[in-house]
Amino acid sequence: TNNNSSSSLWPTNVEFSNNYKWDPTVPPSVKDKYSPPGKTRQRAPRHSNRVYFRKITDRDHPAHGEFGLYCAIEHATPGMWLLDYVGLVMLGEDQDKESDYVSDFGEKSELACDANGYGNEARFLNDFRNTGKHPNVEFNTRRDKNGELRQGVYVKLKKDSKTEGFDGIRRGEELLVSYGKSYWRSRVGNLTDFVWRMPGRPMPEGGKPKV
């Protein structure tokens, strides 16, 4: 499988784009700081050649039946940039608390980037919890050559990975990130009760809990 075959699976209710869309309620002084007027590059609406997405068929996976994001290149080395997380940028206090696709944005996390109805394939990144694996990618902001702030998805560095002997991600491996504890606490309450499979541990006897 590669990214070209997965593009036909793109959900019809989500507008594909590699450009950030700015909510009109964001003050121009804030937007201009992160998206310099007249300088921001308009990126083509094409899928990444470094990743692909597909339906998860593993019944033991916590997101079975939903989409996951996978490595499309032979070896994504530690620290490598894979793609940017793109969406609708708004003030943090205006974010949709019901959306499962919101990421912090801005140098002080004062903004939110929501890929619920607009964005690229980075929206299919799954959280590592209950997969039996540690996170292998992370979000880091960067400035492109035109000064635009971008939220990059990077392969974890060796020193930051909890996987023993980590040396990057191979073709076909799922990309897993940490959504953060606050994300899960707001949805499931007690994290201790929610996590039923720790990284590096086998499936519990009886399989995953019935929802």
Side-chain angles (χ1 to χ4, degrees):
T1 307
N2 59 34
N3 61 304
N4 293 326
S5 62
S6 71
S7 60
S8 63
L9 301 172
W10 187 259
T12 55
N13 60 334
V14 180
E15 181 184 348
F16 184 92
S17 181
N18 286 311
N19 300 300
Y20 291 99
K21 182 188 285 188
W22 287 80
D23 191 277
T25 59
V26 177
S29 59
V30 176
K31 179 186 175 186
D32 293 353
K33 183 170 67 169
Y34 295 133
S35 182
K39 294 182 180 178
T40 302
R41 173 184 155 206
Q42 291 302 299
R43 289 164 164 78
R46 65 170 68 97
H47 289 266
S48 168
N49 61 6
R50 296 188 175 193
V51 302
Y52 66 93
F53 63 96
R54 66 170 175 81
K55 279 278 179 76
I56 296 169
T57 55
D58 177 4
R59 292 189 174 277
D60 291 337
H61 196 293
H64 171 248
E66 299 173 30
F67 285 113
L69 194 65
Y70 296 81
C71 180
I73 58 179
E74 197 65 41
H75 183 201
T77 54
M80 178 185 280
W81 171 85
L82 295 173
L83 76 168
D84 291 327
Y85 193 93
V86 171
L88 173 66
V89 179
M90 65 200 76
L91 294 171
E93 60 261 34
D94 293 337
Q95 68 178 276
D96 180 0
K97 299 287 196 298
E98 301 297 312
S99 173
D100 289 332
Y101 299 92
V102 177
S103 167
D104 288 347
F105 194 71
E107 289 170 347
K108 297 177 182 175
S109 297
E110 73 275 35
L111 301 170
C113 177
D114 190 352
N116 185 35
Y118 175 93
N120 64 12
E121 56 269 64
R123 71 192 298 279
F124 298 122
L125 265 174
N126 283 315
D127 185 84
F128 77 99
R129 288 169 178 82
N130 293 330
T131 63
K133 298 174 182 175
H134 289 288
N136 53 16
V137 297
E138 62 187 3
F139 292 126
N140 284 313
T141 53
R142 65 185 175 87
R143 294 274 185 175
D144 72 5
K145 62 183 179 182
N146 299 313
E148 183 187 20
L149 190 76
R150 310 279 299 182
Q151 176 94 297
V153 177
Y154 291 83
V155 180
K156 274 189 169 286
L157 295 172
K158 286 185 183 182
K159 67 180 180 65
D160 296 330
S161 171
K162 292 182 179 178
T163 303
E164 194 173 336
F166 182 76
D167 94 342
I169 307 169
R170 304 290 170 170
R171 191 194 307 275
E173 283 186 44
E174 186 180 6
L175 309 183
L176 296 168
V177 74
S178 174
Y179 288 176
K181 291 179 179 178
S182 60
Y183 172 94
W184 289 111
R185 283 200 187 104
S186 68
R187 286 162 172 78
V188 302
N190 189 321
L191 265 183
T192 307
D193 294 341
F194 170 68
V195 175
W196 47 266
R197 185 184 186 187
M198 298 299 289
R201 306 298 300 168
M203 279 294 291
E205 198 169 328
K208 69 180 182 182
K210 300 290 188 289
V211 178

